[in-house]
Amino acid sequence: LLVYSIDNQTSFMNLQKWLDAVTANGRNPMIYLIGNKNDLDLRLVLQSEAKLFAEENNLIFRETSAKSDPNIKQIFIDMAIE
């Protein structure tokens, strides 16, 4: 899982560094890109921007909120199925 906060542009900008670290060994594991805190009104990372990053890097994109729990259970169910 690569997780960023939708209210923190820096966390999103650091994703490439983390993705590079995960894939540095030459393997291409299934990676989910998770936008967290979608319960907040403040959004600094556009969903379209995150979707594009996910598409360009062959990642599975989801948004959720650790506070209110939408999609968290489903993300882990999807990962177990894959």
Side-chain angles (χ1 to χ4, degrees):
L1 295 175
L2 291 178
V3 181
Y4 69 94
S5 177
I6 69 164
D7 70 335
N8 184 323
Q9 185 70 31
T10 302
S11 70
F12 182 76
M13 298 306 294
N14 286 331
L15 287 173
Q16 189 63 57
K17 174 182 74 169
W18 292 111
L19 181 60
D20 291 345
V22 169
T23 59
N25 63 5
R27 295 183 184 159
N28 291 318
M30 177 182 56
I31 301 171
Y32 279 73
L33 175 61
I34 309 297
N36 191 32
K37 299 186 181 180
N38 73 346
D39 59 303
L40 300 179
D41 292 330
L42 176 65
R43 176 183 284 273
L44 298 177
V45 179
L46 298 176
Q47 190 177 56
S48 59
E49 183 180 13
K51 282 182 179 179
L52 180 61
F53 181 84
E55 288 172 11
E56 290 174 344
N57 291 285
N58 199 29
L59 309 175
I60 300 165
F61 175 71
R62 301 282 189 273
E63 282 195 349
T64 191
S65 167
K67 183 177 180 179
S68 59
D69 194 30
N71 295 328
I72 290 178
K73 291 176 187 168
Q74 189 60 49
I75 290 167
F76 285 99
I77 290 168
D78 292 347
M79 289 174 59
I81 292 170
E82 295 288 332

